[in-house]
Amino acid sequence: MNEILRRALTGAIYVVLLLGSVFLSSDAFDFLFMVFGLACLYEFKRIVRLKGYHIFIAYLAIWWVFIHLTQHELPISLLLASTLVINSALLAFLFTKKKIRFSKVQKFIVAVLYIGGGCIFLTMIPYKENGFAKFLIMGIFMLIWVNDTFAYLVGKSIGRTKLFPSVSPKKTVEGSLGGLIFACVAAYIMAGYETSLTLFQWILLAIVLVLAGNLGDLLESKFKRLAKVKDSGAILPGHGGMWDRLDSLIFAAPFAYLTLNIFSYVS
C-alpha cells in the first residue's frame, strides 16, 4: 500500500509540474523540459557508460539555438531529419538479435539526437504561428498517459499474448491494442478543446504517438536489459528515473512534430 501511495504521490507531482508549466508560461515549459532533458541524458550516459560531461554542453548548445535563436525551416528540418534517422537506426538495434557494441562517438550521437532531439522537438511542438498552443501540448501528454495507463490495465486484465518477451516480458498485444483504443477515445475528446486540428487529425496523431511511444518504451527497455538494470534512475520514487517516465514522449516527439507539420501543409 505504501508503494502504491508513493507512486500516486510522485505521479501527481509530476503531472502538476507538467501542466503547471504549460499554463504558467512558455518560458516555464521550455525550462522544465530543458531540465528534464538533462536528467534523461544523465541516466542514459550512465546506462550506456558514456564518460565525460561534454554531452550536456552539446545538448544545451543545441537546445539554446533551436529554442531561442533560430526559426528558419532549413536548420530545423536538418535536425528533424537527423533525429529521425537515428531513431530509425535505433529501431534496427531494437529488433536485431545480434549483439551490438556502440563506440563512444556513436553513444554521443545517439544521446544528442535521440534524447536531446526528442526533448527539443517536444518543446517546439506547441509553438505555432507566434503563439503557444497550450491545449495541443496538453493533449499530446494526455494521449501518451492514457495509452500507458490503459495498456497496463487491459494487459493486466486480459493480456495473454506477449508483445516482445525478449525485451519486455510483461507487455502484451492485448494491452497495446487497449491503450491504442482508449488513446483514440481521448483524441476524440481533445478534438473538442483544441480545434486547430480536425477530429481525423487528432485520431491520426494519437495513432502516431501510440505506435512511436510504444517503440520508445521498448527501446529503453532494451537499453536497460543490456545494462542489467531495472530502472534508469531513482529520481522519481516509485517510478524510477526521468527517462523511465519520458521514454515514450522522447521517442515519439519527432514523429509527432513531423505529423503536425504535414497537417499544416495539407490543410
Side-chain angles (χ1 to χ4, degrees), residues 54-226:
H54 47 284
I55 187 65
F56 300 116
I57 298 171
Y59 165 67
L60 288 173
I62 295 172
W63 185 90
W64 183 261
V65 167
F66 281 92
I67 299 302
H68 290 290
L69 295 185
T70 184
Q71 294 182 345
H72 296 296
E73 288 189 11
L74 180 59
I76 293 174
S77 297
L78 288 174
L79 180 64
L80 179 61
S82 301
T83 303
L84 292 174
V85 166
I86 291 300
N87 282 3
S88 299
L90 287 173
L91 288 181
F93 160 71
L94 171 63
F95 290 108
T96 187
K97 293 182 179 180
K98 297 179 181 178
K99 190 173 183 178
I100 297 178
R101 290 185 179 275
F102 290 93
S103 68
K104 186 176 180 180
V105 173
Q106 288 173 327
K107 291 175 184 177
F108 180 86
I109 294 171
V110 168
V112 169
L113 293 175
Y114 159 50
I115 302 287
C119 288
I120 288 168
F121 283 109
L122 186 61
T123 309
M124 291 171 66
I125 282 174
Y127 289 96
K128 297 180 63 181
E129 299 174 357
N130 298 319
F132 187 74
K134 295 182 177 73
F135 284 105
L136 175 61
I137 192 63
M138 189 181 77
I140 286 173
F141 292 149
M142 294 298 294
L143 293 177
I144 289 289
W145 294 338
V146 167
N147 174 59
D148 289 347
T149 301
F150 283 95
Y152 172 77
L153 293 175
V154 173
K156 194 82 170 174
S157 302
I158 61 172
R160 296 292 182 272
T161 311
K162 299 297 182 183
L163 180 65
F164 203 159
S166 63
V167 171
S168 187
K170 293 183 179 180
K171 292 190 184 302
T172 65
V173 173
E174 294 85 356
S176 297
L177 290 175
L180 175 61
I181 291 169
F182 279 97
C184 288
V185 172
Y188 175 82
I189 295 170
M190 285 305 305
Y193 291 91
E194 177 55 65
T195 56
S196 63
L197 299 182
T198 65
L199 174 59
F200 173 75
Q201 289 173 335
W202 268 111
I203 297 293
L204 190 57
L205 180 61
I207 294 171
V208 169
L209 283 168
V210 168
L211 294 179
N214 287 345
L215 289 170
D217 192 15
L218 289 170
L219 179 62
E220 194 226 9
S221 294
K222 179 156 187 177
F223 275 115
K224 290 191 297 184
R225 184 165 287 273
L226 291 176

Side-chain angles (χ1 to χ4, degrees), residues 215-260:
L215 289 170
D217 192 15
L218 289 170
L219 179 62
E220 194 226 9
S221 294
K222 179 156 187 177
F223 275 115
K224 290 191 297 184
R225 184 165 287 273
L226 291 176
K228 296 180 172 61
V229 296
K230 180 183 178 183
D231 298 318
S232 65
I235 194 173
L236 299 172
H239 290 264
M242 189 59 69
W243 187 22
D244 289 319
R245 193 69 263 172
L246 293 174
D247 55 359
S248 298
L249 274 169
I250 285 173
F251 191 83
F255 296 97
Y257 185 86
L258 175 62
T259 302
L260 289 168

Side-chain angles (χ1 to χ4, degrees), residues 2-18 32-33 35-36 39-40 42-43 46 145 220 230-247 249-250:
N2 288 337
E3 179 65 20
I4 295 174
L5 184 62
R6 186 168 57 175
R7 284 179 61 87
L9 183 60
T10 303
I13 293 172
Y14 170 75
V15 170
V16 168
L17 265 178
L18 278 183
L32 183 67
F33 270 92
V35 174
F36 281 178
C40 290
Y42 175 78
E43 293 170 359
R46 186 177 63 86
W145 294 338
E220 194 226 9
K230 180 183 178 183
D231 298 318
S232 65
I235 194 173
L236 299 172
H239 290 264
M242 189 59 69
W243 187 22
D244 289 319
R245 193 69 263 172
L246 293 174
D247 55 359
L249 274 169
I250 285 173

